C-alpha cells in the first residue's frame, strides 16, 4: 500500500510540474519558424513607422555603410528639389577629380548640364558616385566637400540617426565615415516618407535624355529584389539601396510592404553579392510570417500623478497617461498579457515653469528574453495634463500626487497563473487527505489486532461473547466440585471407582464440546461479517485462539488429575493415622 501511495504522489507531483510549465511550452510551440541564420556581420529587421526592432545582430555596432550613404544624399536632394523644382547643374572638373576610375558612375563630363531629377535617378538606381558629388556641388557650391557632409550629419541627428558620421556624399571609403544598421534603418524609413525618393527607389529602369556632352543613358537598378526576372525578386519589396567597398563588404538596405505595414531590413558586411539579397529577403519574410502588429489599449498603460514643484512650493500636479492606443509587433508565440512589461517613466516631480511643456513616455519590453525577437520593444509617448492650485502648498520633498499603477500587463500574476496555482493546491490537499485516511485506518486496524492479542495472553477474556466466558468458568468450577464430592469419605481408604473415571472423561468431553461450540459460534459470526474471506491475518489469529483454548482444556484436565491425586494421598494418610 505504501508503494501505491508513493506512486500516486509522484504522479500528482509530475503532473503539477508539467501543468505549471504549460504556458511557457505553449509559447515556444507557437513559434512557426525559427529566426533565420545569417552570415552578415551586422543586420536588423525593424518597423518603418515606429522604429521598433523586431530582430537583429550587432545593429548598433559602427560599420562602413558604403553606397547606402546615398540615401541621405537623396533626402537632401529631394528637400532641395521641393524648393527648386526646375533645378539644373553644370558639372565641374573639380567635382569629378576625386572619383576613382573603378568606382561606379554614369560617366558625367565636365561642363555637362543636367536636371537634378536625372541626377537623383542616377544616384539611387545606378549608384553613381559622380552623380552624388554633382548633387552636393549643386546644393553647396564649390565648398560642398566640407559643407555638404555637415548637412548630412545634421540631418542624421535630426531624424534620430545619432551614431552616424558622414565625410562625403557617396560612401567611398573613409575611416571616419561610418553608420550602424539601426541608423541606416532610420534613414531609409525617413527617405520613404518623401514621395520623390519613394518613387525612384521602386523604379527598375530609367533613361537620362541626351545632354550637351552625352548621348542618352539607360539606367538600371542595382536592387535585384525589385526586378521581376531576377531569382531574388520579392513582390513585396518597395525599394532599397545597395553598397560595396572592399572595407565595407556587400551591403543592402531594403523595405517591403504587406497588409499596410512596412518593414525594413539592413544587412552590412556580407562577403557575397547574392547573399546580401537572400538574407534581406529572409529577414523580411521572417517578420511578416511570424509577427503580428498588436494593439496596446490606452487603459493598459499605467497612469500616474506627479507634482509641479517650484523651489519649496508645490504649485500643482500633473496627470500622465496614454491619450490613445499604441501598437507594437509581437512574435506569434508571445502575448501582450503574459510576456510584455510596460513602465511609465516620469520624474518624482516636474519642475514648474510658467507655460512650460512637460513630456513623458512609457517603455515597453519583454518580461523575459526571447530568442525569437528583441526584448526592447520601444517607447510610447504619453500625454501630460497639468492643473495648478489656487494657492501654492508647502513642498516637503515627498511626491504626494503619485497614484498606484494599475498595469495588468506589467505586474502581478495573470488569470491563467492563478488558476494553475489553485489546481495544484487542490491536488496537494486531496493527496494529503488520502494519506491521512490511509494512516488512520491502518492505526485503527493495528490497535484492534493488538487488543485481541492481549486478550489471548491473559490480559482479557479470550471469548468474543462474555456469556460464553462466564459459562465456561462456571462449568470448570462446578465440575471440579462435583468430582470432589464423589470421593469416598469413610474411615476406609478412599478409593476412586470406575464411575469417577467415567465422570472425569464425561466432564472433559463436555468441556471440549462447549469450547468447540464457542469456537464455531465465533467463526460463524466472523463469516457473517465477511471478515474471514478478506482478512487472512484475522483467520490466523483465530486459529491461534483455538489452539490456546484447547491447551487451556488440557491444562484443566491435568489440574483435575493433580487434585484427585492429592486427595487420594490425604485419604491414605488419614488411614495410616487410624
Amino acid at each position: 500500500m505504501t508503494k501505491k501511495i508513493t506512486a500516486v504522489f509522484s504522479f500528482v507531483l509530475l503532473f503539477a510540474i508539467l501543468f505549471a510549465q504549460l504556458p511557457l511550452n505553449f509559447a515556444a510551440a507557437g513559434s512557426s519558424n525559427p529566426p533565420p541564420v545569417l552570415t552578415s556581420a551586422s543586420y536588423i529587421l525593424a518597423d518603418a513607422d515606429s522604429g521598433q526592432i523586431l530582430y537583429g545582430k550587432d545593429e548598433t555596432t559602427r560599420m562602413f555603410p558604403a553606397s547606402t550613404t546615398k540615401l541621405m544624399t537623396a533626402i537632401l536632394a529631394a528637400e532641395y528639389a521641393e524648393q527648386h523644382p526646375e533645378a539644373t547643374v553644370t558639372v565641374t572638373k573639380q567635382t569629378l577629380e576625386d572619383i576613382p576610375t573603378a568606382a561606379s558612375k554614369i560617366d558625367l563630363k565636365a561642363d555637362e548640364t543636367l536636371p537634378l531629377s536625372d541626377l537623383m535617378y542616377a544616384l539611387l538606381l545606378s549608384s553613381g558616385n559622380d552623380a552624388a558629388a554633382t548633387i552636393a556641388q549643386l546644393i553647396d557650391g564649390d565648398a560642398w566637400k566640407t559643407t555638404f557632409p555637415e548637412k548630412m550629419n545634421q540631418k542624421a541627428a535630426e531624424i534620430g540617426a545619432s551614431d552616424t558620421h558622414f565625410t562625403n556624399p557617396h560612401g567611398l571609403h573613409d575611416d571616419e565615415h561610418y553608420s550602424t544598421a539601426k541608423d541606416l534603418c532610420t534613414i531609409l524609413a525617413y527617405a520613404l516618407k518623401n514621395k520623390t525618393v519613394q518613387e525612384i527607389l521602386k523604379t527598375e529602369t530609367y533613361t537620362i535624355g541626351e545632354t550637351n556632352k552625352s548621348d542618352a543613358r539607360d539606367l538600371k537598378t542595382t536592387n535585384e529584389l525589385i526586378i521581376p526576372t531576377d531569382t531574388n525578386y520579392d513582390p513585396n519589396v518597395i525599394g532599397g539601396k545597395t553598397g560595396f567597398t572592399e572595407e565595407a563588404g556587400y551591403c543592402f538596405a531594403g523595405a517591403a510592404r504587406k497588409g499596410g505595414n512596412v518593414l525594413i531590413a539592413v544587412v552590412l558586411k556580407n562577403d557575397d553579392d547574392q547573399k546580401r539579397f537572400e538574407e534581406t529577403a529572409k529577414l523580411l519574410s521572417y517578420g511578416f510570417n511570424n509577427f503580428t502588429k498588436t494593439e496596446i489599449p490606452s487603459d493598459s498603460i499605467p497612469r500616474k500623478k506627479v507634482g509641479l514643484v517650484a523651489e519649496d512650493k508645490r504649485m500643482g500636479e500633473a496627470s500622465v497617461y496614454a491619450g490613445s492606443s499604441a501598437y507594437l509587433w509581437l512574435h506569434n508565440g508571445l502575448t501582450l498579457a503574459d510576456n510584455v512589461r510596460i513602465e511609465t517613466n516620469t520624474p518624482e516631480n516636474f519642475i514648474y515653469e510658467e507655460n512650460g511643456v512637460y513630456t513623458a513616455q512609457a517603455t515597453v519590453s519583454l518580461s523575459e528574453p526571447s530568442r525569437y525577437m528583441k526584448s526592447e520593444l520601444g517607447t510610447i509617448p504619453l500625454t501630460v495634463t497639468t492643473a495648478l492650485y489656487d494657492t501654492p502648498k508647502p513642498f516637503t520633498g515627498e511626491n504626494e500626487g503619485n497614484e498606484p499603477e494599475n498595469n495588468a500587463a506589467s505586474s502581478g500574476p495573470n488569470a491563467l497563473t492563478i488558476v494553475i496555482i489553485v489546481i495544484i493546491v487542490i491536488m496537494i490537499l486531496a493527496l494529503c487527505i488520502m494519506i491521512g485516511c490511509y494512516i488512520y485506518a491502518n492505526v485503527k486496524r493495528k490497535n484492534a489486532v493488538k487488543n485481541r492479542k492481549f486478550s489471548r495472553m491473559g490480559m482479557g477474556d479470550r471469548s468474543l461473547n462474555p456469556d460464553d466466558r462466564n459459562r465456561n468458568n462456571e462449568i470448570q468450577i462446578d465440575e471440579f466440585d462435583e468430582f470432589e464430592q464423589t470421593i469416598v469419605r469413610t474411615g476406609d481408604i478412599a478409593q476412586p471407582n470406575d464411575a469417577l473415571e467415567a465422570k472425569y472423561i464425561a466432564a472433559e468431553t463436555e468441556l471440549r464440546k462447549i469450547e468447540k461450540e464457542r469456537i464455531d459460534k465465533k467463526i460463524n459470526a466472523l463469516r457473517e461479517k465477511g471478515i474471514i474471506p478478506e482478512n487472512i491475518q484475522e483467520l490466523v489469529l483465530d486459529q491461534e485462539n483455538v489452539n490456546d483454548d484447547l491447551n487451556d482444556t488440557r491444562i484443566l484436565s491435568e489440574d483435575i488429575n493433580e487434585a484427585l491425586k492429592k486427595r487420594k494421598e490425604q485419604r491414605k494418610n488419614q488411614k495410616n493415622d487410624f
Side-chain angles (χ1 to χ4, degrees):
M1 186 66 179
T2 303
K3 293 183 178 179
K4 290 183 178 180
I5 292 294
T6 303
V8 171
F9 178 78
S10 301
F11 174 76
V12 172
L13 183 61
L14 178 62
F15 179 80
I17 293 173
L18 293 176
F19 198 78
Q21 294 296 321
L22 180 61
L24 180 61
N25 295 335
F26 176 77
S31 304
S32 57
N33 294 304
V37 178
L38 308 182
T39 60
S40 299
S42 173
Y43 53 84
I44 189 174
L45 173 67
D47 177 54
D49 294 330
S50 65
Q52 177 193 344
I53 301 175
L54 279 63
Y55 189 66
K57 172 190 173 185
D58 295 333
E59 65 274 8
T60 58
T61 300
R62 291 179 178 178
M63 308 289 288
F64 298 127
S67 287
T68 57
T69 300
K70 294 182 174 73
L71 290 169
M72 178 57 73
T73 302
I75 290 171
L76 296 179
E79 293 178 351
Y80 182 86
E82 291 175 0
Q83 303 296 323
H84 309 85
E86 302 299 328
T88 60
V89 60
T90 299
V91 184
T92 66
K93 183 178 180 180
Q94 292 77 10
T95 299
L96 302 177
E97 62 184 4
D98 292 332
I99 306 299
T101 303
S104 61
K105 49 191 175 181
I106 63 168
D107 293 327
L108 292 175
K109 306 293 192 294
D111 298 326
E112 184 176 6
T113 302
L114 299 92
L116 175 59
S117 57
D118 287 351
L119 289 174
M120 291 183 65
Y121 277 94
L123 176 77
L124 295 178
L125 268 62
S126 299
S127 195
N129 291 297
D130 50 357
T134 302
I135 289 173
Q137 172 202 325
L138 169 64
I139 295 175
D140 276 7
D142 293 338
W144 67 268
K145 293 182 181 180
T146 302
T147 58
F148 191 79
E150 291 177 355
K151 282 187 171 71
M152 296 172 70
N153 294 327
Q154 182 179 354
K155 191 67 177 181
E158 178 185 320
I159 65 177
S162 57
D163 200 14
T164 292
H165 183 261
F166 295 128
T167 62
N168 59 63
H170 36 62
L172 293 175
H173 182 69
D174 185 308
D175 287 342
E176 297 301 317
H177 188 98
Y178 58 81
S179 186
T180 67
K182 181 176 182 293
D183 280 3
L184 288 173
C185 180
T186 301
I187 292 171
L188 177 55
Y190 187 86
L192 290 172
K193 295 177 182 178
N194 187 286
K195 292 183 178 181
T196 300
V197 176
Q198 185 182 114
E199 183 64 29
I200 296 173
L201 287 176
K202 69 179 182 181
T203 301
E204 180 184 353
T205 60
Y206 181 81
T207 299
I208 296 177
E210 183 180 350
T211 69
N212 61 325
K213 292 288 184 176
S214 176
D215 296 332
R217 300 176 176 91
D218 293 326
L219 309 179
K220 183 177 181 179
T221 182
T222 58
N223 176 12
E224 295 182 5
L225 294 180
I226 66 170
I227 302 175
T229 58
D230 197 279
T231 56
N232 294 312
Y233 174 68
D234 185 341
N236 296 316
V237 174
I238 58 175
K241 184 67 191 77
T242 57
F244 172 77
T245 64
E246 291 293 337
E247 296 81 2
Y250 291 97
C251 307
F252 185 72
R257 178 183 288 109
K258 189 175 183 180
N261 298 310
V262 177
L263 293 179
I264 293 177
V266 177
V267 297
L268 299 176
K269 200 172 185 179
N270 200 296
D271 58 1
D272 186 88
D273 177 27
Q274 293 301 303
K275 281 186 178 179
R276 61 176 166 179
F277 298 115
E278 294 171 1
E279 295 188 356
T280 299
K282 287 181 180 179
L283 284 173
L284 294 171
S285 176
Y286 177 66
F288 285 123
N289 294 336
N290 294 277
F291 288 77
T292 302
K293 203 166 188 177
T294 306
E295 179 184 8
I296 303 178
S298 59
D299 57 3
S300 68
I301 300 174
R303 185 186 186 104
K304 280 190 175 182
K305 280 190 177 181
V306 300
L308 294 175
V309 177
E311 297 180 354
D312 60 347
K313 293 181 180 179
R314 193 177 180 86
M315 307 300 293
E317 62 183 22
S319 295
V320 182
Y321 58 94
S324 60
S325 297
Y327 294 86
L328 61 83
W329 289 84
L330 199 60
H331 194 275
N332 294 337
L334 306 174
T335 64
L336 186 65
D338 296 333
N339 305 106
V340 177
R341 179 174 59 244
I342 304 175
E343 297 177 339
T344 301
N345 300 320
T346 60
E348 290 295 321
N349 294 282
F350 286 119
I351 303 301
Y352 171 74
E353 295 179 6
E354 187 175 357
N355 299 323
V357 177
Y358 309 98
T359 60
Q361 64 181 14
T363 58
V364 187
S365 60
L366 295 181
S367 53
E368 297 291 340
S370 170
R371 67 182 289 257
Y372 298 101
M373 66 179 300
K374 287 290 183 178
S375 295
E376 300 301 322
L377 305 183
T379 60
I380 301 173
L382 302 177
T383 301
V384 180
T385 301
T386 60
L388 299 177
Y389 299 141
D390 294 333
T391 304
K393 300 178 181 180
F395 175 60
T396 61
E398 298 180 355
N399 189 359
E400 303 167 359
N402 274 347
E403 290 183 346
E405 297 185 8
N406 57 349
N407 181 19
S410 62
S411 63
N414 56 69
L416 181 59
T417 302
I418 294 175
V419 171
I420 293 173
I421 293 174
V422 170
I423 292 175
I424 293 175
V425 170
I426 292 174
M427 294 174 67
I428 293 175
L429 289 176
L431 182 61
C432 291
I433 293 173
M434 290 171 56
I435 295 174
C437 292
Y438 167 74
I439 293 174
Y440 174 76
N442 196 36
V443 170
K444 185 176 180 181
R445 180 181 60 80
K446 288 183 178 181
N447 287 339
V449 173
K450 184 177 181 182
N451 290 337
R452 288 192 291 273
K453 186 174 181 180
F454 285 164
S455 175
R456 296 189 185 94
M457 294 172 64
M459 301 178 67
D461 296 324
R462 286 184 291 274
S463 176
L464 293 175
N465 191 331
D467 296 336
D468 292 342
R469 293 198 298 269
N470 295 334
R471 183 165 58 253
N472 291 341
N473 293 337
E474 292 172 359
I475 290 173
Q476 293 172 9
I477 295 172
D478 294 343
E479 292 295 335
F480 183 79
D481 291 343
E482 187 173 351
F483 294 157
E484 192 174 23
Q485 294 295 329
T486 59
I487 297 176
V488 178
R489 291 182 176 84
T490 62
D492 298 328
I493 298 174
Q495 295 289 340
N497 52 31
D498 293 339
L500 181 61
E501 288 291 334
K503 187 73 171 179
Y504 164 71
I505 294 172
E508 184 176 0
T509 302
E510 183 67 20
L511 284 173
R512 290 179 177 275
K513 178 180 179 182
I514 293 171
E515 184 64 21
K516 183 176 183 303
E517 290 176 353
R518 183 184 70 81
I519 292 172
D520 289 342
K521 183 177 180 181
K522 180 178 179 180
I523 291 175
N524 290 334
L526 293 174
R527 284 175 176 171
E528 290 176 359
K529 295 180 180 180
I531 296 177
I532 288 180
E534 298 178 358
N535 197 326
I536 302 304
Q537 185 176 2
E538 288 290 335
L539 185 59
V540 172
L541 292 176
D542 290 340
Q543 183 61 43
E544 292 176 356
N545 187 25
V546 171
N547 295 336
D548 290 344
D549 290 339
L550 292 175
N551 186 52
D552 290 344
T553 303
R554 184 168 58 255
I555 292 173
L556 177 61
S557 300
E558 293 174 356
D559 290 343
I560 293 173
N561 288 331
E562 185 67 26
L564 292 173
K565 183 177 180 181
K566 287 182 180 180
R567 182 57 63 94
K568 182 177 180 181
E569 291 293 331
Q570 289 176 359
R571 296 299 183 185
K572 182 178 180 180
N573 292 336
Q574 288 177 0
K575 180 178 179 181
N576 292 335
D577 290 341
F578 286 110

